């Protein structure tokens, strides 16, 4: 009998197929003692396993390319963390086997994150994956991961580590469903990049039996277990109609009555540019430069290396707009040379612009590299600072840009509620705003963006979050300046219409979402978008806001 479940839809599309479950996690190794004369040998085994896993993660990243490559390289660095390795070796020295030493050392670090209030909980899945891979290698058992299958299937897992998501084969994995995770987790972002329908934060997903036929709607978050023939036909028809609509709409983003809404791409480096160009991106709305720095957490990349990476992206968009976010380090992206190691609450500490102002040489080098990279190019370069809290922050960043001789527009990201509440004050120092809705939701609702248990509060349809977007857009309009959205909210086609109605002047998203947003915007007038925005803000919950906007835009 057909039953319906609902999680959080994070990647558009429909998938219908049989369920396959993720390979079981590595079992806990036995806690047996080894003789003292075997300790050195066991330490050597542990080091070899760590290096082999790190090399495998890097190799997977090289195969995947793009943003996935940066994520997996960061995971490889996690495997090679000197403090973790030292803890493993200490445990082996007092009698643990290599596998037990690895298991216990990672468990201790995991507990440390949990005791810190789980502000770094978004990396717990990554940490567990690294541990499982190392322990599996030491035990000589198969790596946990995607099941082998010759037939296409829908993958169900408790969570998906980046190493697994990055190399999913869309020809075999029709879609995936996870019990945990959130709309802004690494797996969700990579799913959108792959164009694989995905639903996360679905309690009880693991109880769906192997081989059961399910239909997954990555837009609504609905899962239909043992769907009827009528339901399957309905979903397949809707999917075909959606694809036809996507291919029929081309050109710059605009509403049906000609109100222009530039559709830009979020990129992490040159590897993400081809997909952005293929999707018809009108430029880059968020160039995440931190991935360049994560290649080596011990020191900043040289100015020459930065110039080469930046210029490769800038050259791809002649006479287009490229918005570069300067280094956003700290919280879940720590860098040894920049980030304090003993912060009790990293997400609320010295991160983003705060780190750069404490290390002006790092900021100066990056701004100089950007200036050099743009020399002689017709591109419209804009540079923005992350984690701007107030006018003083905005002024400090603008002053640094001017001192570096940067010929570009200077902007501020609105990720902290104070910046939205005082947006007009911030705009006295900078020329544009860009709303990072992922972090803005996290700080507005005190809800870690990576924790599935609080995904309800991470929903960008929350009316309180829409209020903050409206405040920022109104302030920009009053000052005659622009206000874009570069968070994952922009990738939701329906929400893109609401954001347009709130006064947002551009939308930036993963390349795979651009055709969906372009097609949806083209069906509605600006006045309809404005009415939908008003209806959404008048609601009391995210679900009510979504339904209210949908009713307006469908003419109900």
């Amino acid at each position: 009998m057909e039953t319906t479940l609902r999680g959080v839809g994070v990647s558009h599309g429909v998938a219908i197929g049989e369920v396959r479950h993720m390979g079981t996690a590595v079992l806990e190794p036995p806690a047996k003692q080894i003789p003292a004369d075997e300790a050195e040998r066991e330490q050597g085994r542990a080091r070899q396993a760590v290096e082999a896993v790190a090399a495998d993660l890097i190799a997977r990243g090289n195969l995947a390319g793009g943003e996935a490559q940066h994520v997996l390289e960061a995971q490889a660095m996690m495997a090679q963390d000197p403090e973790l390795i030292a803890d493993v070796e200490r445990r082996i020295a007092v009698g643990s086997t290599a596998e037990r030493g690895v298991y216990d050392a990672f468990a201790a670090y995991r507990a440390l994150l949990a005791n810190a209030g789980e502000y770094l909980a978004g990396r717990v899945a990554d940490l567990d994956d690294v541990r499982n891979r190392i322990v599996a290698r030491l035990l000589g058992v198969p790596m946990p991961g995607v099941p082998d299958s010759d037939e296409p299937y829908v993958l169900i897992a408790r969570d998906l580590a980046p190493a697994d998501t990055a190399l999913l084969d869309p020809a075999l994995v029709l879609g995936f469903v996870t019990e945990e995770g959130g709309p802004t987790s690494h797996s969700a972002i990579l799913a959108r990049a792959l164009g694989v329908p995905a639903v996360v934060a679905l309690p009880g997903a693991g109880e769906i039996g192997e081989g059961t036929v399910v239909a997954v709607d990555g837009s609504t978050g609905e899962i239909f277990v043992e769907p009827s023939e009528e339901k399957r036909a309905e979903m397949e028809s809707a999917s075909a109609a959606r694809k036809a609509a996507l291919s029929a709409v081309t050109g710059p983003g605009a509403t049906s009555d000609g109100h222009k809404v530039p559709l830009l791409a979020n990129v992490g480096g040159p590897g993400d540019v081809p997909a952005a160009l293929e999707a018809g991106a009108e430029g880059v709305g968020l160039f995440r430069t931190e991935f360049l720095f994560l290649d080596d957490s011990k020191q900043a990349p040289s100015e020459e290396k930065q110039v080469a990476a930046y210029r490769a992206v800038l050259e791809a968009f002649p006479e287009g707009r490229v918005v570069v976010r300067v280094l956003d380090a700290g919280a879940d992206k720590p860098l040894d040379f920049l980030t304090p190691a003993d912060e009790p609450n990293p997400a609320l500490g010295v991160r983003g612009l705060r780190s750069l102002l404490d290390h002006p040489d790092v900021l100066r080098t990056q701004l100089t590299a950007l200036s050099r990279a743009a020399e002689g190019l017709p591109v419209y370069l804009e540079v923005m600072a992350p984690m701007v809290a107030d006018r003083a922050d905005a002024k400090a960043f603008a002053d640094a840009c001017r001192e570096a001789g940067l010929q570009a527009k200077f902007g501020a990201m609105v990720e902290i509620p104070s910046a939205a509440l005082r947006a007009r004050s911030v705009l006295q120092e900078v020329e544009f705003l860009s709303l990072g809705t992922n972090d803005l939701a996290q700080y507005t609702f005190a809800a870690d963006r990576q924790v599935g248990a609080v995904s309800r509060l991470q929903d960008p349809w929350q009316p309180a979050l829409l209020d903050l977007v409206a405040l920022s857009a109104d302030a920009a309009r009053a000052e005659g300046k622009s206000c874009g959205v570069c968070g994952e909210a922009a990738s939701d086609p329906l929400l893109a219409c609401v954001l347009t109605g709130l006064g947002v002047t551009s939308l930036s998203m993963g390349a795979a979402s651009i055709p969906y947003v372009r097609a949806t915007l083209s069906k509605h007038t600006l006045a309809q978008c404005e009415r939908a925005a008003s209806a959404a803000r008048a609601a009391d919950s995210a679900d009510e806001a979504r339904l209210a906007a949908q009713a307006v835009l469908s003419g109900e």
Side-chain angles (χ1 to χ4, degrees), residues 375-463:
E375 285 177 4
L377 298 179
V379 67
Y380 295 97
L381 176 63
E382 301 184 11
V383 181
M384 62 185 181
M387 297 297 292
V388 170
D390 55 16
R391 182 174 179 173
D393 278 351
K395 183 178 187 304
F397 177 66
D399 287 345
C401 290
R402 282 188 284 267
E403 288 170 10
L406 187 61
Q407 299 298 309
K409 283 188 176 182
F410 316 142
M413 290 198 71
V414 177
E415 301 165 287
I416 303 173
S418 61
L421 293 167
R422 301 287 294 172
R424 198 157 182 181
S425 173
V426 170
L427 283 165
Q428 303 310 302
E429 304 294 342
V430 294
E431 298 173 80
F432 69 93
L433 299 177
S434 184
L435 288 142
T437 52
N438 306 347
D439 270 325
L440 186 58
Q442 172 173 247
Y443 293 124
T444 298
F445 298 103
D448 192 304
R449 55 186 283 191
Q450 303 286 355
V451 178
V454 293
S455 61
R456 175 182 75 84
L457 297 171
Q458 267 293 324
D459 192 326
W461 281 94
Q462 285 285 356

Side-chain angles (χ1 to χ4, degrees), residues 106-120:
F106 274 76
Y109 189 50
R110 196 183 200 280
L112 184 65
L113 297 184
N115 291 335
E118 290 196 306
Y119 285 98
L120 296 179

Side-chain angles (χ1 to χ4, degrees), residues 257-407:
D257 55 342
H259 174 72
K260 293 183 178 180
V261 188
L263 302 181
L264 313 172
N266 295 344
V267 305
D272 295 331
V273 167
L277 293 172
E278 184 178 351
E282 297 168 59
V284 172
L286 173 62
F287 182 176
R288 300 183 181 97
T289 60
E290 60 269 19
F291 290 121
L292 182 62
F293 288 75
L294 288 170
D295 286 346
D296 183 355
S297 70
K298 303 297 182 184
Q299 61 183 4
S302 68
E303 185 176 316
E304 294 302 324
K305 183 176 181 179
Q306 292 188 53
V307 170
Y310 303 151
R311 193 169 180 90
V313 174
L314 296 176
E315 286 178 334
F317 295 93
E319 300 185 13
R321 179 185 179 201
V322 175
V323 184
V324 178
R325 179 176 68 190
V326 294
L327 175 61
D328 183 16
D332 61 346
K333 293 169 286 192
L335 295 171
D336 293 347
F337 67 90
L338 199 70
T339 311
D342 55 353
E343 284 190 307
N345 262 353
L348 300 181
V350 183
R351 64 166 290 196
L353 179 61
R354 299 167 186 174
S355 292
L356 293 174
L357 294 178
D358 281 351
H359 298 81
D361 54 325
V362 175
L363 176 58
R364 188 181 308 111
T365 298
Q366 184 171 24
L367 294 175
T368 301
L370 283 166
S371 181
R372 288 179 55 200
E375 285 177 4
L377 298 179
V379 67
Y380 295 97
L381 176 63
E382 301 184 11
V383 181
M384 62 185 181
M387 297 297 292
V388 170
D390 55 16
R391 182 174 179 173
D393 278 351
K395 183 178 187 304
F397 177 66
D399 287 345
C401 290
R402 282 188 284 267
E403 288 170 10
L406 187 61
Q407 299 298 309

